[in-house]
Amino acid sequence: MSEISATHLVPSRAIADRSARTRLAYLDGWRGLSIALVLIGHFFPIPGINLGVLGVEFFFVLSGRLMAEILFIERYPLKKFFKRRFSRIYPALLVFVVLAMIALSATFIAFKWKAAVTALTFTYNYAGILLNRAGALDHIWSLCIEEHAYIILAAISAIVASRSRVIPLLLVLAALAMANGALSYWFLHMDYETTYWRTDVHIASILLSAAICLLKADGKLPSLLTGPYVAVAAAAGAVFLFMDAVPTPIHYLVAVPLLAIAVNALDFSTRFLSGWLSSLPMTTLGLWSYSLYLWQQPFYKFVYEQGSNPWPMLVGVFACALCSYYLIERPAREWLNRNW
C-alpha cells in the first residue's frame, strides 16, 4: 500500500522529465506562434490588425514568464544567467548587423556604423526616436527592451530577497509603465514609435507576465484563471483587442494583460492546445524564431516599401535565418556555454 501511494505521490524521474519536456515544448510552440504572427503580419498582412506588432507582444509575455522562472523561482546565478543571455543573443546579432550593413550598402535601406553601434549596444529603441532610424534595424527596438528587462529583473532578484515583495513591486512597475504609455500617447500626443519603443513604457508586458508567473508559482493565482480554456479565451480576447479599430493604448492596457494571463495559463490548458503548440512544426519554428526575427526585417522592407513579391522574400528570410541558426546561433551558443 505504501509503495503504491508513493508511486502516485512522487512521480518517477522519467515522468518528471517527460513533464518538463512537454512544458518546454509548448513554450517553444508559443515562441513559434509568435514568429509566425510576425511573418504573416509583415509579408501577408491582414487588413484590420497588425499581426507583426501582436507577435512581438507574444514574445514579450513569454520572456516575462521565463525570466520569472529563471531568476525568481530557480534563482539562477546571475553571472551564469548573463553569460547564457549573451551566448544566446549576441553572436547572431553581431553577424546579422555586420552582414546587413555590407549587403545593404547600395540599397534604399543602407545604414551607417552609428546605427549599427546603437543596435549592438541595445540603445536603438531610444536612438531611433531621438537621433535617426535605419529601416533594416527597426525591429531591434524590441530586442533592446528585452535586454533592458533582463538587467532590471536581475537587479530586482539581487536586491529584493522576498518573493512576497517582488510580486507587488513588479505589478506596481508594470502599472506605472502602462500609465506612462497611455499618458504619452493620449495626452502628450506622441506617435506610436515615440511612445511604445521606449523601455520605460513597453517593459510593462514583460513585468506583468513575470508577476503573474510568480503568483501562479505561489498558488495565489485566482482559480478563475486556472481553467483549461483560459489560455485560449484570453489569447482570443487579446487578438480581438489588437484590432486597428481599438485605440492603441487599449492594446497595452487590456490586451497585453490578457496575453500575460494566456501564456501563464498554458500549464492548465487542454491537451489539444498544448499538443498543437508542442507539435514539430510549431516547436521547430520556435527554435528558429530568433534568427528568423533578425533576418526578416530587411526582406520585409523590400516588400513593404518597394512592393516586392513576398514569396521569394520569405524564402530569402528562411534561407538566411537557417544559415544563421545552424552556422552561427546554435554553434556559438553551445561553444560559449561549454568553454566560457
Side-chain angles (χ1 to χ4, degrees), residues 109-326:
I109 49 173
F111 59 91
K112 302 297 184 181
W113 66 269
K114 289 182 180 179
V117 168
T118 63
L120 293 173
T121 55
F122 303 113
T123 55
Y124 184 85
N125 60 327
Y126 286 101
I129 296 170
L130 301 173
L131 301 175
N132 63 309
R133 290 170 57 178
L137 300 176
D138 271 353
H139 59 322
I140 301 298
W141 71 268
S142 59
L143 190 58
C144 295
I145 290 173
E146 287 224 18
E147 297 305 310
H148 301 164
Y150 295 157
I151 295 171
I152 291 169
L153 287 171
I156 291 173
S157 74
I159 296 170
V160 185
S162 171
R163 210 149 79 192
S164 62
R165 295 181 179 179
V166 168
I167 294 172
L169 176 60
L170 294 178
L171 290 173
V172 168
L173 291 176
L176 289 173
M178 293 165 73
N180 188 16
L183 176 66
S184 298
Y185 193 88
W186 266 333
F187 297 101
L188 300 181
H189 305 293
M190 296 180 180
D191 61 21
Y192 178 85
E193 287 80 8
T194 307
T195 301
Y196 290 104
W197 276 21
R198 289 160 31 209
T199 302
D200 55 293
V201 170
H202 221 132
I203 198 173
S205 307
I206 297 172
L207 297 181
L208 187 58
S209 184
I212 293 172
C213 178
L214 295 180
L215 285 170
K216 179 182 62 179
D218 289 348
K220 296 179 180 178
L221 202 62
S223 58
L224 181 66
L225 301 181
T226 61
Y229 301 103
V230 169
V232 171
V239 172
F240 176 78
L241 289 172
F242 255 90
M243 299 290 288
D244 293 343
V246 178
T248 297
I250 300 300
H251 299 176
Y252 300 97
L253 292 172
V254 183
V256 164
L258 287 175
L259 280 181
I261 291 170
V263 74
N264 282 285
L266 287 176
D267 298 347
F268 318 112
S269 64
T270 63
R271 287 188 177 183
F272 176 81
L273 177 60
S274 60
W276 175 65
L277 289 174
S278 301
S279 65
L280 184 60
M282 297 304 295
T283 56
T284 301
L285 268 181
L287 291 176
W288 296 342
S289 61
Y290 178 53
S291 284
L292 283 169
Y293 189 70
L294 285 178
W295 283 96
Q296 55 80 34
Q297 184 70 16
F299 293 91
Y300 157 63
K301 284 295 181 180
F302 276 93
V303 173
Y304 182 71
E305 297 187 18
Q306 300 287 299
S308 300
N309 187 323
W311 286 107
M313 292 293 104
L314 189 60
V315 170
V317 171
F318 273 87
C320 291
L322 292 182
C323 288
S324 172
Y325 179 76
Y326 288 106

